[in-house]
Amino acid sequence: MNSYQEKVIQYSELLKKINKRYNSISISRLLSIFLCLFLLFYYIKTNEIGYAAFAFLSFVGFIFLMRIHSRLSFERELVTAILKINENEIAFLKREKLPFENGIEFNDFHHPYAYDLDIFGEHSLFQSLNRTATFTGKKTLASQLLDILPNAVILENQEAINELKAKIDWRQDFLALATISNDSKSSYDSIMHWNGAKNNKLKKVTIALSILMPTLFFGFLVAYLFTSKTMLLSYMTYVFIANLVILGQNFKRIQSEIAKADNVDKIIKQYSLLVAKIETETFQSKKLIDLQQLLVSRNAKASTHLKELSELFSRMDTINNFVTSIVFNGTFLFNLHVLKSLLKWKENYAPELEKWISIIGEFEALNSLANLAYNNPDFVFPEINSDFKIGFKDLAHPLLNPISRVGNDTHFYPESFVILTGSNMSGKSTFLRSLGVNMVLGGIGSVVCATAANIHPLPVLVSMRLSDSLSDSESYFFAEIKRLKQIMDALEEKPAFVLLDEILRGTNSDDKRNGTIEVVKKIIAKKAIGAIATHDIEVCLTTNEYPETLTNQCFEVEIQNNELHFDYKLRNGICKNKSATFLMQKMGVI
């Protein structure tokens, strides 16, 4: 947190200096234009050339100050964004607020673990991790959290995240650039729609006329300047009208190219700055170098091509200005030439555009995971194996307060499946979620909330939290059966890490107990690794039939000074103590 506090002080001072200079330039710019107008007035009044010369110099000064003002405006916006980034990190680490988007739009109730493990939504894993600001960044991070990667890719991600972890200044600059882009799903969809639309070339006649007609117009103009024949002005008028007719014939085509493209030029310009930020950085890890090398096309950098595309969209937008459109197109068919360039750009680089934008998303997702590692120096990268061995030392849930969270050692070898018992509130569900969330993090190359870990990344299958689906006319019990069927079908394809919490709650005790035992037997027969939490002691006896596969572990509760005491420590064996009767008596229920 100290580094963030230092940066808040540093960037607050820098912002003050920029604001002071920004205001000075604003006043100077205003004075320069007033001076220009004042000098022009005296030139008209006195006809002295000196006033005209100084008026011209004042106007040049105004243009120069405009450029400085524009640069300072960008710097101010960038520094403000970086300052906000550090303030957000401080508020997050102090647990005052979660100022990050929660990704609720990516939630999938039918996903094997997204809903059960609180991957998306308020106070979710995504919201805690998310340090993205573009739509493609959010989408990439969400996608990564929904799937387990191959071992080789996990190791590459670990190396890349570990490198980015130390590049805090670069990460924050990158996030600030992404933040000020004001990117959104609609903007992203507009760009992808334009990029994916069929690229019909202009007719050869139209291309020929786009060259011939402006040439005729300026030919007549030059001839008039040399000869002063008024007949040439008539010819120029005819050509001017003909140019507008040609533009009218292609107006729908131009409009279709820029449909839904509001502010797209500005967003693509920000994409070019983000890509340039990647291109100019020196990386050591294989993953980051490989991504960087994908940003070269036709011996030029992707940022150059994106900047060109941004400028083309900006020029094309002039068609919406009536006066500018009439003048520019009547003289030299400006928008038609821009259209030709836009179509040529699409022909050359359309296959690359989505890839370049996706690389921005990859870096944003990796930056988010690097930020998790930076904020939690006690978290570790798990060792990766292919031997179906999974073990953690001091495992805890990464979203719990580090001051109060309790870590537990757990391993799934030689026994591969745990039957977990414990009274209500003893920590069973939190432990299962800790296992699931850390398996997800470890399976994408992130650090995990443990002091040591060794995992075989496996698909994660969970049945912990289901709800009645009224819209589907589906009861809680039927929803649970469907989830168990989903888990069994997935296990038919390959082994997985399975977490079950009090399954079959919608039926009677005997049916629930017998069904739970049969589910456990079938799951271990399919080589699943994982744990099931239950209150049925008889389920624990199943370990007697499968001592090499099943093991009993528990969370205990103690009564100290007439109060329940939970230590949240995992123990071997079956839970002995109960809390429900005591708690109801204490609260006067019974």
Side-chain angles (χ1 to χ4, degrees):
M1 189 185 298
N2 289 339
S3 63
Y4 296 130
Q5 290 170 335
E6 289 170 4
K7 286 180 178 295
V8 166
I9 295 170
Q10 174 191 345
Y11 285 104
S12 295
E13 289 298 319
L14 181 57
L15 185 59
K16 286 179 185 177
K17 291 178 182 177
I18 291 174
N19 279 334
K20 187 176 180 180
R21 195 173 173 210
Y22 179 88
N23 293 334
S24 298
I25 294 295
S26 296
I27 294 170
S28 299
R29 188 181 60 165
L30 191 62
L31 290 174
S32 66
I33 198 67
F34 275 129
L35 180 61
C36 179
L37 294 172
F38 179 77
L39 291 169
L40 281 175
F41 171 76
Y42 268 90
Y43 168 68
I44 294 168
K45 189 175 181 180
T46 63
N47 206 29
E48 291 188 18
I49 196 66
Y51 286 117
F54 281 114
F56 176 75
L57 290 175
S58 296
F59 184 73
V60 170
F62 172 77
I63 299 297
F64 178 71
L65 290 170
M66 279 283 290
R67 293 177 66 87
I68 296 176
H69 187 269
S70 178
R71 179 172 56 80
L72 283 173
S73 179
F74 177 76
E75 286 181 15
R76 186 171 72 160
E77 200 174 1
L78 197 63
V79 170
T80 300
I82 296 175
L83 182 59
K84 185 68 174 176
I85 288 167
N86 285 281
E87 289 173 342
N88 283 343
E89 290 297 340
I90 292 170
F92 171 71
L93 291 175
K94 285 183 175 180
R95 310 186 80 79
E96 294 174 349
K97 62 177 180 177
L98 266 172
F100 314 113
E101 290 189 54
N102 61 32
I104 189 64
E105 65 269 30
F106 300 109
N107 212 356
D108 180 0
F109 295 99
H110 302 292
H111 189 270
Y113 59 79
Y115 178 61
D116 300 73
L117 296 181
D118 298 310
I119 301 299
F120 304 106
E122 282 300 312
H123 304 286
S124 64
L125 179 64
F126 181 91
Q127 189 173 26
S128 181
L129 292 176
N130 182 24
R131 300 300 185 275
T132 68
T134 68
F135 175 74
T136 186
K138 283 196 300 180
K139 186 177 72 165
T140 303
L141 180 60
S143 176
Q144 289 190 2
L145 289 171
L146 293 176
D147 201 10
I148 306 301
L149 301 173
N151 286 14
V153 179
I154 291 172
L155 292 172
E156 285 184 5
N157 276 6
Q158 286 185 354
E159 184 188 18
I161 291 164
N162 197 39
E163 180 179 357
L164 288 171
K165 172 185 171 182
K167 291 180 178 286
I168 181 171
D169 291 332
W170 186 88
R171 285 192 287 108
Q172 291 196 348
D173 288 346
F174 192 83
L175 177 54
L177 281 172
T179 300
I180 65 177
S181 70
N182 295 317
D183 189 25
S184 64
K185 183 180 186 300
S186 61
S187 300
Y188 174 85
D189 289 343
S190 294
I191 294 169
M192 290 301 104
H193 174 76
W194 173 82
N195 194 53
K198 190 175 180 181
N199 197 30
N200 294 319
K201 293 183 178 180
L202 291 172
K203 295 177 182 178
K204 290 182 179 179
V205 174
T206 303
I207 294 172
L209 287 173
S210 72
I211 298 169
L212 176 63
M213 298 304 285
T215 303
L216 276 175
F217 181 87
F218 286 103
F220 289 137
L221 177 61
V222 171
Y224 172 74
L225 293 174
F226 278 100
T227 64
S228 298
K229 291 183 178 179
T230 54
M231 177 181 63
L232 294 171
L233 291 176
S234 300
Y235 294 157
M236 284 171 60
T237 303
Y238 296 145
V239 174
F240 188 92
I241 294 170
N243 282 341
L244 292 180
V245 171
I246 294 168
L247 179 75
Q249 291 174 338
N250 292 276
F251 185 75
K252 285 187 177 179
R253 179 66 191 280
I254 292 170
Q255 288 286 61
S256 69
E257 286 295 323
I258 61 172
K260 301 179 182 178
D262 293 343
N263 293 321
V264 160
D265 59 317
K266 295 174 184 175
I267 291 168
I268 293 175
K269 184 179 180 181
Q270 288 303 121
Y271 283 166
S272 75
L273 294 176
L274 287 165
V275 167
K277 192 75 179 170
I278 298 169
E279 291 168 342
T280 55
E281 183 64 14
T282 302
F283 297 112
Q284 304 298 324
S285 59
K286 181 180 183 301
K287 173 104 176 187
L288 301 181
I289 291 171
D290 288 347
L291 288 172
Q292 194 178 46
Q293 289 174 346
L294 291 173
L295 295 174
V296 177
S297 179
R298 303 195 179 202
N299 298 319
K301 294 179 178 179
S303 58
T304 303
H305 299 311
L306 288 170
K307 185 179 179 183
E308 179 189 358
L309 179 61
S310 170
E311 290 171 352
L312 288 171
F313 269 112
S314 181
R315 291 174 199 161
M316 187 63 89
D317 197 44
T318 57
I319 200 165
N320 294 317
N321 185 311
F322 181 76
V323 175
T324 305
S325 179
I326 293 293
V327 174
F328 281 20
N329 289 297
T331 52
F332 56 95
L333 289 170
F334 176 77
N335 286 102
L336 198 56
H337 285 285
V338 176
L339 177 62
K340 284 195 298 180
S341 298
L342 204 55
L343 295 176
K344 184 67 176 176
W345 194 100
K346 187 191 286 191
E347 181 183 345
N348 291 334
Y349 306 113
E352 307 288 331
L353 179 59
E354 188 170 1
K355 179 182 73 178
W356 294 336
I357 296 175
S358 72
I359 289 171
I360 294 172
E362 286 276 354
F363 268 89
E364 282 196 281
L366 289 170
N367 282 350
S368 295
L369 298 176
N371 196 74
L372 173 70
Y374 182 85
N375 284 348
N376 298 276
D378 53 330
F379 287 13
V380 297
F381 288 104
E383 295 180 31
I384 304 299
N385 69 75
S386 302
D387 305 320
F388 296 96
K389 291 183 177 181
I390 296 172
F392 296 93
K393 184 178 180 182
D394 292 321
L395 173 81
H397 199 294
L399 303 192
L400 291 178
N401 192 326
I403 297 173
S404 58
R405 70 184 174 216
V406 177
N408 283 290
D409 297 350
T410 185
H411 55 82
F412 295 86
Y413 54 89
E415 298 91 353
S416 59
F417 209 85
V418 174
I419 298 178
L420 188 65
T421 52
S423 62
N424 289 320
M425 303 184 297
S426 63
K428 299 192 308 299
S429 296
T430 299
F431 178 71
L432 292 182
R433 286 196 173 89
S434 299
L435 282 169
V437 166
N438 282 291
M439 283 295 291
V440 170
L441 289 174
I444 62 176
S446 172
V447 292
V448 297
C449 184
T451 55
N454 191 333
I455 67 170
H456 179 149
L458 291 170
V460 178
L461 308 174
V462 183
S463 179
M464 292 184 67
R465 178 199 292 147
L466 297 164
S467 59
D468 294 354
S469 180
L470 298 178
S471 61
D472 296 333
S473 301
E474 186 176 276
S475 69
Y476 178 97
F477 181 70
F478 187 62
E480 189 173 31
I481 296 298
K482 282 175 64 177
R483 172 54 62 88
L484 290 173
K485 176 68 165 61
Q486 181 185 8
I487 290 172
M488 295 303 179
D489 290 345
L491 287 172
E492 288 289 342
E493 298 178 12
K494 55 185 173 181
F497 190 77
V498 178
L499 298 170
L500 307 173
D501 189 11
E502 284 297 321
I503 60 172
L504 306 178
R505 278 171 280 192
T507 186
N508 65 64
S509 299
D510 288 340
D511 200 21
K512 174 185 175 183
R513 178 177 58 254
N514 294 333
T516 300
I517 291 171
E518 292 306 313
V519 166
V520 170
K521 288 180 178 180
K522 189 167 183 179
I523 281 177
I524 62 175
K526 294 177 181 294
K527 307 299 181 185
I529 300 172
I532 180 171
T534 181
H535 285 292
D536 291 310
I537 302 301
E538 289 187 37
V539 174
C540 301
L541 302 180
T542 313
T543 56
N544 296 329
E545 297 180 50
Y546 305 93
E548 295 181 356
T549 305
L550 294 175
T551 183
N552 287 308
Q553 294 184 337
C554 66
F555 287 97
E556 288 287 11
V557 58
E558 297 178 358
I559 300 174
Q560 298 178 357
N561 301 321
N562 202 35
E563 294 287 345
L564 288 177
H565 173 71
F566 300 99
D567 62 9
Y568 307 112
K569 295 302 293 185
L570 187 65
R571 297 170 171 81
N572 290 323
I574 302 171
C575 173
K576 296 182 177 61
N577 298 325
K578 299 177 177 63
S579 62
T581 304
F582 170 81
L583 195 58
M584 286 192 291
Q585 287 174 338
K586 185 175 176 63
M587 296 182 69
V589 176
I590 57 175

